[in-house]
Amino acid sequence: MNVYAVVLGIIVVVLLGVSVARVSKVKTKADYLVAGRSLPVYVLVFTLLSSWIGSGSLLGGAENAYKHGFVALWQGAGGWTGLLLIYFIAPRARKFAQYTIPDLLEARYNQTARVLGVIAVLFTYTAITSYQFIGGGDILHLIFPDISAKLGQFIIAGFVIVFTAIAGMSSVAYMDVAIGLLATISLMVALPLLTHIAGGWGAVMTALPASHFRPLGDYTAMQAAELFLPSCLLMLGNQSMYQKFFSAKTAKDAARAVIGWFIGIVILESVIVAIAVVGSAIFPGGEVHDRPREILAYTGMHALPRLLGAIMVGAIFAKVISTANNYLFSPATNLVNDVFVRYMEPDASNKRILIVSRLMVVLLGCWSLWQSVGIQSVLKMSLHAYTIYSAALTPVILAAFFWKRATAAGAVASIAAGTFVTVFWDFSFVHTHLPGVVADRDAIFPALVASLVCLGVVSVLTEKPSEAQLAPFAEAA
């Protein structure tokens, strides 16, 4: 019997079991959307870790490491830097304790900011979900060659939609505990063993270009910054993260979870990049050279002992599922809380909200699947998704907590400008009418500059917010 199929089967059954077990706990809107605000620190740590490390790291980051070496860590380092700042935001976010980022935007700014926030989250998070489907489909194809990668995407989408719809945040968070433990242990065990199989670290360095081991590799400082900044800004404004903070028992629990999250993310992302680098030394050519985003799973299957390889591939598969769950659930929450309850049925019963919530998960899952069919590069798609959110929402979210002078008009202008520049930056007229030194840059810099300028200038020129608007965002006691 195929040991890989057995391991994946066990993982699917366990995840389904966790989801079904949590159904009885879900009776209200708060239970479904923020797990009844009851998550303890250890659950928060693993669900935060699992929601961040998905196909963007396991496929996109690993592909970059396979091609260019440790310079790929600049993408991870953006998230690490963001986390250092998040430590000071987490208690304030838990004090605010609503359901979504658009809740925050309306409370601090106005309804227009809320609506624009919903749009930005929908486009960003369904895009992120879509390339999780690609990652899962690639793994299924590696294990079962008769299943094409495209068919695998559809199968993974089905898993994710079912798991996410069943019990909401409660199932997502508790599944992440099992997934986080499995991934952390298997990847950390695999790295030294793979290094030994490659002939030791000296052999790895001899087999690869020297640039693979330099801080900037074969990148310029600007290219490294284009990896760093989108992930840093996405981390700072990440709705999935704030939703986990809203789910914490207390503000102190939210802050403590950030410490564990920081330690876990630095270790795991460093290990992922190191495994991809070692894998590029073991497998410099062949099938994986043409599909480098599969380097982690391919190395697990073809270099490690069979059982350990199966566990590692299963862990990668589970992490992809986990990240897809998180990023699919988050925009579904927006449609339910920020559109359905806010504008359509404010007095809807808990039962009706739960039905609509599950329907939104299904619909958004189908939209994400449709997007996944046309994606060619996971790394490129991840950076594009990060940029939309980073430029449109992160500046106004941070301003809500740290800049009292930020106004509703400034926030609306900022969100609109950041979204507009990101969406249209790659159009041909940009490259035709702007100097090459500007047009050839990634969208993150022009979009972020436009967003910050609009936020600052318009806020200064308009009436400052009231004390009532500022009060919920003050530092938690």
Side-chain angles (χ1 to χ4, degrees):
M1 184 178 291
N2 188 329
V3 67
Y4 294 93
V6 172
V7 170
L8 257 63
I10 292 172
I11 288 172
V12 170
V13 170
V14 170
L15 297 183
L16 183 59
V18 172
S19 291
V20 172
R22 303 303 302 178
V23 169
S24 62
K25 309 287 186 182
V26 178
K27 302 183 186 302
T28 68
K29 171 185 171 182
D31 291 338
Y32 192 83
L33 300 185
V34 289
R37 307 196 196 282
S38 64
L39 296 185
V41 172
Y42 81 95
V43 175
L44 279 171
V45 169
F46 281 108
T47 192
L48 287 164
L49 187 61
S50 292
S51 66
W52 182 255
I53 296 182
S55 288
S57 300
L58 295 167
L59 274 72
E63 175 183 345
N64 203 15
Y66 181 91
K67 293 178 177 178
H68 303 286
F70 282 95
V71 69
L73 279 176
W74 280 99
Q75 184 175 349
W80 308 345
T81 304
L83 265 179
L84 295 176
L85 299 174
I86 284 168
Y87 178 81
F88 300 99
I89 299 173
R92 299 188 185 202
R94 180 58 184 86
K95 179 188 175 185
F96 177 67
Q98 293 297 311
Y99 296 99
T100 66
I101 285 296
D103 274 334
L104 182 155
L105 295 177
E106 181 173 11
R108 178 64 173 80
Y109 302 116
N110 59 17
Q111 285 192 41
T112 304
R114 182 189 194 110
V115 172
L116 291 176
V118 171
I119 293 171
V121 169
L122 286 177
F123 278 99
T124 301
Y125 280 37
T126 56
I128 292 174
T129 303
S130 71
Y131 59 75
Q132 310 308 317
F133 295 163
I134 291 176
D138 284 351
I139 293 172
L140 286 182
H141 175 62
L142 281 173
I143 296 171
F144 309 104
D146 291 338
I147 296 178
S148 69
K150 290 294 182 185
L151 177 57
Q153 290 174 219
F154 283 81
I155 294 173
I156 295 302
F159 286 162
V160 169
I161 290 170
V162 170
F163 292 154
T164 307
I166 290 176
M169 176 62 78
S170 185
S171 69
V172 167
Y174 281 89
M175 278 194 297
D176 286 346
V177 174
I179 292 169
L181 284 170
L182 179 66
T184 301
I185 294 170
S186 63
L187 290 170
M188 290 184 69
V189 170
L191 176 58
L193 186 53
L194 287 169
T195 303
H196 174 73
I197 292 170
W201 196 249
V204 172
M205 295 186 70
T206 300
L208 298 173
S211 62
H212 273 51
F213 305 93
R214 292 199 291 261
L216 289 177
D218 53 2
Y219 276 34
T220 64
M222 181 63 74
Q223 288 173 318
E226 289 170 348
L227 283 179
F228 175 92
L229 199 55
S231 59
C232 179
L233 294 176
L234 176 66
M235 177 67 86
L236 286 170
N238 191 339
Q239 174 174 269
S240 180
M241 171 193 69
Y242 283 93
Q243 206 166 350
K244 304 296 174 58
F245 294 155
F246 298 157
S247 304
K249 283 185 176 181
T250 67
K252 286 184 178 179
D253 284 345
R256 288 169 183 160
V258 174
I259 298 173
W261 186 17
F262 179 82
I263 295 170
I265 199 172
V266 170
I267 292 172
L268 269 184
E269 290 196 318
S270 298
V271 168
I272 287 168
V273 168
I275 290 176
V277 170
V278 173
S280 68
I282 299 173
F283 302 107
E287 177 186 353
V288 75
H289 183 268
D290 298 325
R291 296 173 64 86
R293 71 187 185 206
E294 298 174 357
I295 183 59
L296 295 186
Y298 188 90
T299 301
M301 291 184 66
H302 295 279
L304 289 174
R306 193 166 178 79
L307 179 58
L308 179 57
I311 293 173
M312 175 177 157
V313 172
I316 295 170
F317 175 82
K319 288 290 286 181
V320 169
I321 293 288
S322 172
T323 307
N325 286 339
N326 279 278
Y327 282 95
L328 176 58
F329 180 71
S330 205
T333 301
N334 287 120
L335 288 181
V336 173
N337 187 68
D338 302 312
V339 178
F340 177 72
V341 174
R342 181 68 178 80
Y343 297 110
M344 299 172 66
E345 291 193 30
D347 299 322
S349 66
N350 280 316
K351 182 178 179 180
R352 184 162 178 77
I353 290 172
L354 292 178
I355 291 172
V356 174
S357 297
R358 290 176 173 126
L359 177 61
M360 289 302 101
V361 168
V362 174
L363 293 177
L364 289 175
C366 292
W367 182 24
S368 298
L369 177 61
W370 177 79
Q371 292 181 67
S372 74
V373 173
I375 294 175
Q376 299 299 319
S377 169
V378 170
L379 179 62
K380 183 176 180 181
M381 185 63 174
S382 64
L383 291 176
H384 178 73
Y386 295 175
T387 299
I388 293 175
Y389 200 94
S390 298
L393 290 183
T394 298
V396 298
I397 293 170
L398 294 181
F401 290 105
F402 296 110
W403 190 35
K404 294 182 178 181
R405 191 62 182 80
T407 67
V412 169
S414 176
I415 297 171
T419 303
F420 179 85
V421 173
T422 302
V423 170
F424 289 100
W425 187 253
D426 290 331
F427 279 41
S428 59
F429 70 82
V430 172
H431 298 273
T432 302
H433 294 90
L434 292 177
V437 68
V438 176
D440 292 342
R441 294 271 58 84
D442 186 85
I444 183 59
F445 288 108
L448 183 60
V449 168
S451 179
L452 290 173
V453 168
C454 287
L455 176 63
V457 172
V458 176
S459 290
V460 169
L461 295 177
T462 51
E463 185 178 353
K464 65 181 181 180
S466 67
E467 289 301 319
Q469 283 179 294
L470 297 176
F473 303 90
E475 185 174 1

